[in-house]
């Protein structure tokens, strides 16, 4: 891996809040794209932290700290993403489902979708299905991106699907899911339209949805 990207990975793994901005900036200065920094630096760093958490080497405090380091690094990345391209393709409603407060992946998805030309309506974390459906109605959006990291919260996906069906909107709205506990199998079981492993894949999915609906 590129040395500068590896330094971003290490900064997250070592929870180096003071060093992350400088390291992200070094990547940007050397011409590494924001998308590469997100996918190969920030996301990989968090994968390692997640693994160490699973293995009992890191605890909740480290998770929180790693989250803060990533947020700080992301401010540098988002500063160079081009907002001028935003809003041309249509509106996407994104949210982390109710009961789940993980926001980093959703925020990255939002940032990448904006850069790819979408108007992003970000409802935040811990969002009830009813709020998502209300927003779809009031905004006229046909696209929903749900972030789900906790296995215990997968039932929330079904609530969104059922709520849309009850509102008579299911046929005209496309839903994608992503996040640590999601998979194609889960997408099939929840009867949503797609699963995306990465935020970059998310942009391809929404482009595909749009093409199919128009
Ligand atoms: C950071 C973190 C936290 C931070 C979150 C900080 C924040 N501000 O977001 C804090 C400390 C708050 C936290 C809390 C908890 N966490 Co936590 N956390 C993590 C960790 C280490 C990283 C998550 C992350 O940000 N990853 C980086 C981002 C970039 O990745 P991502 O979210 O997957 O997103 C990428 C893709 O998935 C995709 N994507 C994401 N969403 C979407 C949506 C769409 C539509 C698409 C297309 C793509 C897409 O795009 C992103 C970029 O490519 C994970 C471990 C892991 N491997 O995921 C555990 C993890 C998710 N947490 C876990 C747990 C158990 C908890 C707690 C319950 C711990 C506790 N005992 O209290 C609480 C839950 C609180 C709650 N109610 O939500 C477990 C979940 C296990 C499970 N299967 O249910 C994990 C997997 C750790 C583990 N291995 O045990 N956590």
């Amino acid at each position: 891996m590129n040395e500068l990207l590896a330094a971003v990975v290490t900064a997250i793994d070592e929870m180096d809040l003071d060093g992350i901005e400088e390291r992200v900036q070094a990547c940007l200065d050397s011409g590494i794209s924001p998308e590469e920094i997100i996918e190969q630096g920030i996301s990989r760093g968090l994968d390692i932290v997640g693994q160490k958490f699973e293995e009992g080497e890191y605890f909740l405090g480290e998770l929180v700290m790693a989250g803060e380091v990533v947020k700080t690094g992301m401010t540098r990345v988002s500063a160079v993403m081009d907002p001028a391209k935003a809003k041309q393709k249509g509106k996407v409603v994104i949210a982390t489902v109710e009961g789940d407060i993980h926001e980093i992946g959703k925020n990255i998805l939002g940032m990448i979708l904006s850069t790819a030309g979408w108007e992003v309506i970000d409802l935040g974390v811990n969002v009830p299905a009813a709020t998502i459906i209300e927003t779809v109605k009031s905004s006229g959006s046909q696209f929903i991106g749900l972030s789900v990291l906790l296995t215990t919260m997968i039932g929330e996906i079904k609530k969104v699907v059922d709520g849309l069906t009850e509102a008579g909107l299911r046929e005209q709205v496309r839903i994608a899911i992503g996040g640590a506990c999601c998979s194609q199998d889960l997408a099939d079981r929840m009867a949503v339209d797609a699963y995306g492993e990465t935020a970059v894949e998310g942009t391809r999915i929404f482009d595909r949805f749009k093409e199919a609906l128009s």
Side-chain angles (χ1 to χ4, degrees):
M1 182 198 286
N2 174 300
E3 253 174 47
L4 297 170
L5 285 168
V8 171
V9 175
T10 309
I12 294 164
D13 181 22
E14 294 177 353
M15 290 151 285
D16 181 5
L17 195 55
D18 296 329
I20 184 74
E21 282 192 88
E22 201 180 293
R23 293 183 189 202
V24 167
Q25 192 59 50
C27 290
L28 291 168
D29 291 344
S30 82
I32 299 173
S33 72
E35 287 80 5
E36 266 178 291
I37 298 172
I38 291 168
E39 293 291 314
Q40 290 174 41
I42 291 172
S43 297
R44 284 202 187 179
L46 273 165
D47 281 347
I48 295 173
V49 173
Q51 244 166 10
K52 290 188 175 175
F53 181 68
E54 267 173 64
E55 289 159 4
E57 188 181 337
Y58 281 174
F59 297 97
L60 201 57
E62 277 93 357
L63 282 195
V64 176
M65 198 59 201
E68 288 307 310
V69 174
V70 167
K71 259 197 206 171
T72 306
M74 283 305 294
T75 54
R76 271 295 158 103
V77 178
S78 54
V80 300
M81 287 182 143
D82 181 7
K85 280 200 275 169
K87 301 186 179 186
Q88 293 153 6
K89 289 185 181 168
K91 298 174 186 170
V92 183
V93 175
I94 64 168
T96 302
V97 297
E98 185 163 24
D100 192 336
I101 61 163
H102 293 88
E103 65 178 350
I104 300 165
K106 170 193 64 66
N107 292 350
I108 292 175
L109 176 71
M111 238 175 280
I112 293 189
L113 284 173
S114 296
T115 329
W118 290 91
E119 179 178 346
V120 176
I121 304 174
D122 185 347
L123 298 177
V125 297
N126 190 21
V127 183
T131 307
I132 295 168
I133 289 146
E134 274 314 308
T135 308
V136 164
K137 278 188 203 160
S138 61
S139 66
S141 167
Q142 292 178 288
F143 309 104
I144 301 176
L146 295 178
S147 204
V148 195
L149 279 87
L150 296 177
T151 313
T152 45
M153 291 304 145
I154 56 177
E156 292 300 313
I157 304 170
K158 182 96 180 10
K159 282 192 194 166
V160 174
V161 173
D162 290 348
L164 284 171
T165 307
E166 274 163 34
L169 292 168
R170 183 64 190 99
E171 294 294 308
Q172 67 229 48
V173 174
R174 295 292 174 271
I175 309 167
I177 58 167
C181 75
C182 295
S183 61
Q184 186 57 52
D185 177 56
L186 183 70
D188 294 342
R189 281 192 284 134
M190 295 289 138
V192 296
D193 305 292
Y195 157 66
E197 196 176 347
T198 65
V200 173
E201 199 182 324
T203 62
R204 285 184 218 118
I205 290 171
F206 286 109
D207 283 350
R208 221 170 51 221
F209 283 170
K210 185 175 164 60
E211 218 177 281
L213 280 178
S214 52

